Amino acid sequence: MKEQLEQISQWIISSRRIVIFVGAGLSTESGIPDFRSPGGVWDRYDPEDFYFQNFVSSEASREKYWQMATEMYEPMKKARPNLAHLAIAEMERLGKLDCVVTQNIDGLHFKAGNSEDKVIQLHGTAMVVSCLTCGKRYDRDEIQERLRKGVKVPYCDTCGGPLKPATISFGQSMPERETQEAYHRSSLSDLFIVIGSSLVVQPAASMPLLAKRNGAKLVIINRDPTPYDDMADLVIHGQAGPIMDSILKEIKKGMDNP
Ligand SMILES: [Zn+2]
């Protein structure tokens, strides 16, 4: 294990375009439940209500959506960045991060200290609410406060359009600009590190493949095996927080004593 950590830190020190790709595993390590796992909120709601088309067309669906979204938001609001988030933020400060591509919607990279232009949120963000008609954006807490006071479905102050968290729902296409940007950065990377993703959700899972084909080294740090383990240059199965913390310490050692 120690040798692997040293190897990864050496690659980080010598690489110029490092892309980190993170998935749900990083959020669960911060105590945010994986909503797809058994006993998660999906068991208590009808997924039909959460298809984008239903949200757009039905007031009843919007009401159910906001009930569920409120339930999901509570643990996200309370969550703190874990050691992996903090290590990634520190990599930015050390000039060792091209970008983070995330499938998570919890905004924890920003709480950890990463800057806006370093984080590509493929599935949007739950920290912001936007109007589906005019695009006006609202702080999530402001809208949750309206719900707390009894509003069932919030609407836009400016145009009256329906408000929805700025996340990508079932039936809604991936954000074009972010997806293109993530592919572009992946293709240019010389070191691609997957953290806390089982790499099964497409199209995101094709990004490490693209990076690898374009000559990047591929590192996978995940609790469970992934379909891409065989083609990776290095794989560590374990908890992302302690692993990334150890890697960060090695990087600092290595940068102090080149
Ligand atoms: Zn509006």
Side-chain angles (χ1 to χ4, degrees):
M1 177 80 148
K2 188 167 190 315
E3 265 173 40
Q4 288 175 312
L5 298 174
E6 281 171 5
Q7 178 64 79
I8 296 171
S9 357
Q10 276 169 23
W11 284 340
I12 289 171
I13 291 167
S14 62
S15 297
R16 301 170 59 86
R17 282 178 168 269
I18 301 168
V19 172
I20 296 186
F21 181 94
V22 309
L26 210 58
S27 298
T28 51
E29 280 190 42
S30 277
I32 297 172
D34 185 351
F35 302 105
R36 292 162 302 183
S37 62
V41 294
W42 290 120
D43 288 0
R44 280 171 282 125
Y45 291 91
D46 180 357
E48 277 290 309
D49 280 322
F50 306 105
Y51 279 90
F52 186 64
Q53 282 317 313
N54 295 341
F55 185 94
V56 171
S57 60
S58 149
E59 171 86 9
S61 282
R62 286 196 280 276
E63 187 175 331
K64 288 218 185 79
Y65 180 98
W66 273 104
Q67 280 173 16
M68 184 207 61
T70 299
E71 203 178 317
M72 287 168 73
Y73 180 61
E74 287 308 316
M76 266 186 236
K77 186 177 154 64
K78 277 189 292 193
R80 306 304 311 159
N82 62 51
L83 288 172
H85 293 106
L86 296 172
I88 294 167
E90 188 62 17
M91 283 174 65
E92 177 182 335
R93 281 187 284 273
L94 294 169
K96 284 288 149 196
L97 182 69
D98 183 61
C99 67
V100 186
V101 177
T102 181
Q103 298 170 282
N104 301 330
I105 57 172
D106 50 42
L108 283 176
H109 291 293
F110 301 121
K111 283 190 192 168
N114 279 116
S115 44
E116 290 281 337
D117 63 341
K118 291 285 185 190
V119 183
I120 301 175
Q121 302 179 106
L122 287 179
H123 295 172
T125 173
M127 301 298 117
V128 171
V129 170
S130 62
C131 170
L132 293 182
T133 306
C134 76
K136 183 174 175 181
R137 287 163 80 85
Y138 297 78
D139 180 65
R140 179 69 183 264
D141 285 332
E142 185 197 329
I143 302 303
Q144 287 304 135
E145 185 58 19
R146 293 189 198 180
L147 292 161
R148 203 184 60 76
K149 287 178 175 159
V151 170
K152 298 263 189 266
V153 181
Y155 288 94
C156 181
D157 296 336
T158 305
C159 76
L163 297 182
K164 183 183 166 296
T167 53
I168 306 303
S169 298
F170 296 130
Q172 209 175 359
S173 52
M174 301 270 288
E176 198 168 337
R177 186 176 59 82
E178 282 83 355
T179 307
Q180 290 305 328
E181 183 74 5
Y183 274 118
H184 181 62
R185 304 277 195 111
S186 301
S187 69
L188 295 177
S189 76
D190 55 2
L191 177 60
F192 194 100
I193 306 175
V194 175
I195 306 175
S197 171
S198 46
L199 295 174
V200 288
V201 180
Q202 290 295 349
S206 59
M207 288 172 193
L209 195 67
L210 176 67
K212 179 76 185 159
R213 280 194 188 134
N214 281 275
K217 285 200 171 61
L218 175 61
V219 171
I220 298 177
I221 299 166
N222 194 45
R223 197 187 57 187
D224 304 312
T226 82
Y228 295 86
D229 284 7
D230 285 346
M231 63 180 298
D233 295 276
L234 208 155
V235 178
I236 300 182
H237 292 145
Q239 252 201 313
I243 292 169
M244 285 305 295
D245 191 50
S246 306
I247 290 172
L248 179 66
K249 290 194 175 101
E250 289 295 329
I251 297 171
K252 286 183 166 169
K253 241 194 280 172
M255 288 178 89
D256 289 343
N257 310 292

